Amino acid sequence: MKDIKNIYCVGRNYALHAKELHNDIPTSPFLFSKPTHALVEAAGQLITLPSDQGEVHFETELILHIGQSYKEGITVDELVDEMTIGLDLTLRDVQSELKQKKHPWLLAKGFKHSAVVGNFITFEGVEASKKKDFSLVKNNERVQLGNIKNLIFDLQTIIDFTGKHFGLDKGDLIFTGTPEGVGPLSHHDELSLKWGQQELGSCIISFR
């Protein structure tokens, strides 16, 4: 596993996903973070998740790995050195309660093993990445399919917003948002993270 510093996540960055959860479409990037303790690599193993806090939903995302310090004017292709596909796992029932109370989402988004990442590969650039879909296959059935060309806020907007407000440096990750099709996980679900036809990670879910 890489030495990861910060984990930033973009919420509601695909219009159809925002609609499926009955959320408004944001007018500026909507970010939250996860602690590094949430990070786990999908390397074919069992990944344990909490069984006593309601449903755990999968949200499949393209993840950027930052390769150098952000400075104003830098492009995505200059800043990002690697990428992967991963899961922003969410305690959906907990999140719904937090939303009602207008509380931060950390309890729903930051639990152990809630940031699942596949194997990192070289980032080929924004335009090349638009030519491939990413997907999640659950128990041999594709359940999510996305393409960054459908982002509400494109990758350049995301890195500029994040760099300006929080800073970005080598070792940071950005989860760029999930498309429609999110749903609950079950005990012994077998998951495969796909970039085009290439599998970047796999795991088996275990609730304890």
Side-chain angles (χ1 to χ4, degrees):
M1 177 66 70
K2 289 179 171 291
D3 184 17
I4 301 302
K5 291 183 177 178
N6 297 291
I7 304 172
Y8 300 108
C9 305
V10 185
R12 304 174 188 173
N13 205 20
Y14 288 82
L16 292 179
H17 169 61
K19 290 178 181 177
E20 75 179 345
L21 294 185
H22 309 293
N23 292 318
D24 294 333
I25 304 297
T27 56
S28 66
F30 177 79
L31 268 67
F32 57 92
S33 64
K34 291 176 180 271
T36 53
H37 297 293
L39 197 66
V40 61
E41 186 176 4
Q45 82 281 30
L46 283 174
I47 291 181
T48 58
L49 300 174
S51 62
D52 58 351
Q53 298 183 63
E55 288 189 342
V56 179
H57 278 209
F58 55 82
E59 299 187 7
T60 313
E61 313 199 7
L62 184 141
I63 302 168
L64 304 177
H65 180 273
I66 304 304
Q68 60 174 295
S69 296
Y70 174 85
K71 57 182 179 293
E72 188 174 354
I74 197 170
T75 67
V76 175
D77 291 359
E78 293 168 331
L79 184 68
V80 176
D81 60 352
E82 293 182 320
M83 59 149 286
T84 192
I85 307 304
L87 300 172
D88 163 21
L89 297 183
T90 305
L91 293 170
R92 189 68 74 202
D93 298 327
V94 174
Q95 185 189 35
S96 295
E97 292 180 10
L98 294 171
K99 284 181 179 179
Q100 290 177 358
K101 297 176 180 178
K102 301 187 184 302
H103 286 181
W105 291 1
L106 184 58
L107 286 174
K109 292 285 194 177
F111 58 97
K112 190 175 181 181
H113 297 163
S114 64
V116 182
V117 297
N119 182 50
F120 283 89
I121 59 174
T122 299
F123 180 64
E124 297 180 349
V126 174
E127 292 308 312
S129 298
K130 290 179 180 178
K131 297 176 182 178
K132 281 188 181 180
D133 295 331
F134 63 89
S135 61
L136 174 67
V137 176
K138 179 165 72 84
N139 303 326
N140 296 315
E141 177 184 357
R142 190 177 71 192
V143 291
Q144 274 193 288
L145 179 70
N147 189 300
I148 61 166
K149 65 187 178 185
N150 297 319
L151 290 170
I152 296 173
F153 304 106
D154 64 17
L155 299 185
Q156 188 65 49
T157 301
I158 291 169
I159 67 158
D160 286 338
F161 184 91
T162 309
K164 176 183 177 180
H165 290 279
F166 309 111
L168 282 170
D169 209 338
K170 182 176 177 62
D172 290 345
L173 298 182
I174 302 179
F175 283 62
T176 58
T178 190
E180 72 277 9
V182 304
L185 291 169
S186 299
H187 190 58
H188 286 166
D189 274 346
E190 297 183 7
L191 307 180
S192 175
L193 300 164
K194 296 285 191 73
W195 175 236
Q197 298 302 312
Q198 181 182 6
E199 182 179 82
L200 295 186
S202 66
C203 62
I204 301 170
I205 299 301
S206 176
F207 282 97
R208 291 182 182 176

